[in-house]
Amino acid sequence: MLVAGLAPLVGTACAAAPEASPLAGDEALLDDLEQRTFRWFWETTNPVNGLVPDRWPSPSFCSIAAVGFGLSAWAIGAAQGWITRAQASERTLATLRFFRDSKQGPQARGTSGHKGFYYHFLDMRSGERWADCELSTVDTALLLAGVLHAASFYQANDAAETEIRQLADALSERVDWRWAQPRGPAICHGWRPEHGFLPYDWTGYSEAMLVYLLALGAPARAVASDAWGAWTSTYARHWTTFHGQTHLHFPPLFGHQYTHCWVDFRGIRDAWMREHDLDYFENSRRATLAQRAYAQANPLGWAGYGGDIWGITACDGPADVTRRFRGTPRRFISYAGRGAGLHDDGTLAPTAALASLPFAPEIVKPALRALRERYGAAIYNRHGFVDAFNPSFDHADVALKHGQLVPGVGWVDTDHLGIDQGPITLMAANARRDEVWRIMRGNAQVRRGLERAGFRGGWLAQG
């Protein structure tokens, strides 16, 4: 799927990944992790059009959400000196020009999107809709978050960075958020040319908080302010105490991470959070602590779970089969939106813990060390951690959907996923250097969206 010769091309443009000792200090382990996950984006992207694969090294289509993470990853790489600023801006321009020039329209074939939105998956070379996937509002929002980050990061007055800002403005202005409200004021999950709008709307609480913030803050065709009320209208269903932590509960940890990759929620609150005396950052911290407590309790008795090995989120799994584990039939699954207490089949995803670094560094750093020291090269390679592994699954008679069996470890994925690598990269940069948050606090669309959603206090009050 990818352009031939891609790895040799970028291998000369990016410093070699460092070799970190398992006994290195926490900061050295984080340095190593950041650079390896960044390299995944730099080395797997199609340099001609800037499209990022959904997964690698398995042949894959492009994930537009992964492109959003990639745009931010390249800015981080430039800021840290892993690539030059010129290299980062060149790759960013290729990406933004592609999305500007790609065909939009209601046709089922030959287009990349419609009404400013984009299909969830695109062909890595042509950039056209992959198979029969949906036009996705949340994945478009993740893409746009990376676009907005690029616009705020590349502020030089040279031709390349000026064009990046112009392209970002054009892409943001083209999105018709109001069109995506067929049952308003909520925003729909998506649309297919064959059948029209999907029968589902985004209501809280999940990763789609980003959809509403960008739709409320949009420079053109923004949704009305009552959309945020539609989003929060179902919060009461999710407010619960789980393993000692009272918070808005969403079982897969990615729902507590994705919007936070770009938006700094520390100290700012909307009306709902003011009533409950916390902010969304603290909510994600509680979700992180609850996940670790769940692993310590290990109610299903899976192998490997504990105080330093924890984290369940959407990820690959070995296969869709029932097999016995410790004498009891258990249902194992392949890719799914796993979560603590939901679809827990013993599969652990390193990104679940690692992308929570800003929320709870005191438990995430030991998790990083434990993953490296206990499983080593079985789950950690040139591009960082693989998507997932399962120490409880060692059934050699099963035709695996993903990955392989590793003696002494169990099932181990062989792929890295862009929507795993991105949160690791961005959240490490946020936790260690306030890097993405600092830039995005100055983004007009993000600020406008937060203010129209009723957020007050903290950095928003500082002007």
Side-chain angles (χ1 to χ4, degrees):
M1 292 294 174
L2 297 181
V3 175
L6 174 56
L9 173 64
V10 300
T12 60
C14 183
E19 293 298 328
S21 165
L23 301 178
D26 287 344
E27 295 309 307
L29 291 176
L30 286 167
D31 286 343
D32 186 73
L33 176 65
E34 276 200 74
Q35 291 184 55
R36 289 174 189 263
T37 53
F38 160 77
R39 287 177 65 92
W40 186 88
F41 286 100
W42 190 250
E43 295 186 353
T44 66
T45 297
N46 183 339
V48 176
N49 57 22
L51 296 185
V52 180
D54 177 61
R55 61 177 62 234
W56 176 271
S58 291
S60 175
F61 36 70
C62 161
S63 156
I64 62 167
V67 177
F69 285 117
L71 287 163
S72 288
W74 305 327
I76 292 168
Q80 296 307 305
W82 302 328
I83 53 175
T84 68
R85 192 176 181 97
Q87 287 173 317
S89 62
E90 180 183 16
R91 177 68 60 84
T92 300
L93 277 174
T95 307
L96 300 186
R97 287 168 179 164
F98 162 77
F99 282 100
R100 177 198 62 190
D101 297 338
S102 61
K103 185 176 179 180
Q104 292 256 319
Q107 301 89 346
R109 292 289 174 264
T111 64
S112 301
H114 184 46
K115 297 288 186 178
F117 295 93
Y118 293 90
Y119 287 103
H120 192 165
F121 301 122
L122 305 175
D123 183 275
M124 279 292 296
R125 292 190 177 184
S126 70
E128 295 178 358
R129 180 193 188 195
W130 178 266
D132 295 324
C133 70
E134 82 286 7
L135 196 79
S136 172
T137 53
V138 69
D139 291 280
T140 297
L142 292 164
L143 168 63
L144 286 174
V147 171
L148 294 176
H149 181 210
S152 293
F153 176 80
Y154 299 101
Q155 285 293 305
N157 290 324
D158 60 58
E161 298 198 15
T162 298
E163 185 181 357
I164 286 173
R165 297 192 297 274
Q166 293 170 343
L167 289 169
D169 288 346
L171 291 171
S172 185
E173 291 169 1
R174 189 163 65 179
V175 182
D176 191 347
W177 291 104
R178 296 173 188 171
W179 171 81
Q181 293 179 293
R183 293 169 291 272
I187 298 174
C188 184
H189 281 208
W191 175 87
R192 283 191 172 92
E194 295 86 358
H195 307 292
F197 286 104
L198 302 183
Y200 312 105
D201 295 324
W202 290 113
T203 53
Y205 171 74
S206 71
E207 77 282 8
M209 183 160 52
L210 184 64
V211 170
Y212 282 86
L213 293 177
L214 295 187
L216 285 163
R221 293 176 287 278
V223 299
S225 57
D226 61 351
W228 191 255
W231 164 250
T232 61
S233 64
T234 60
Y235 271 16
R237 303 177 193 172
H238 306 281
W239 182 252
T240 189
T241 299
F242 183 72
H243 283 267
Q245 299 294 328
T246 300
H247 63 294
L248 283 172
H249 183 56
F250 183 77
L253 267 180
F254 78 86
H256 299 277
Q257 297 165 343
Y258 280 11
T259 302
H260 294 255
C261 288
W262 290 280
V263 183
D264 180 6
F265 286 101
R266 295 173 296 178
I268 63 172
R269 303 179 180 188
D270 63 355
W272 205 94
M273 283 294 178
R274 285 193 291 272
E275 291 177 3
H276 292 77
D277 195 27
L278 77 161
D279 57 34
Y280 288 99
F281 181 92
E282 172 61 22
N283 194 80
S284 289
R285 173 174 168 79
R286 294 181 186 184
T288 302
L289 295 174
Q291 275 249 5
R292 190 232 194 176
Y294 175 87
Q296 289 176 304
N298 195 8
L300 299 178
W302 294 115
Y305 284 30
D308 289 340
I309 301 291
W310 53 273
I312 309 173
T313 194
C315 65
D316 286 342
D320 298 296
V321 295
T322 298
R323 288 292 185 275
R324 300 186 76 82
F325 174 74
R326 294 179 178 171
T328 304
R330 301 288 184 93
R331 180 67 180 171
F332 295 92
I333 50 181
S334 54
Y335 188 88
R338 291 173 170 82
L342 172 72
H343 299 313
D344 177 14
D345 68 345
T347 301
L348 292 159
T351 189
L354 300 176
S356 290
L357 181 63
F359 307 132
E362 74 279 8
I363 63 172
V364 174
K365 290 180 181 179
L368 169 59
R369 177 174 296 277
L371 288 166
R372 287 288 310 275
E373 292 184 346
R374 190 171 307 175
Y375 297 104
I379 65 171
Y380 191 74
N381 57 37
R382 176 180 178 83
H383 293 131
F385 288 101
V386 296
D387 172 55
F389 66 103
N390 190 326
S392 301
F393 190 95
D394 58 0
H395 300 282
D397 64 317
V398 173
L400 298 175
K401 179 75 172 180
H402 305 284
Q404 61 187 344
L405 296 182
V406 176
V409 176
W411 174 82
V412 175
D413 206 353
T414 49
D415 279 336
H416 303 266
L417 272 61
I419 57 174
D420 294 343
Q421 301 288 78
I424 293 174
T425 305
L426 275 64
M427 293 299 255
N430 284 328
R432 305 181 78 195
R433 299 179 297 276
D434 193 34
E435 191 162 335
V436 182
W437 288 339
R438 172 175 46 80
I439 292 169
M440 293 299 283
R441 287 195 294 269
N443 184 270
Q445 184 167 345
V446 169
R447 174 180 283 272
R448 189 164 53 243
L450 288 166
E451 291 174 342
R452 294 193 68 217
F455 283 83
R456 303 288 184 268
W459 60 268
L460 279 173
Q462 298 170 10

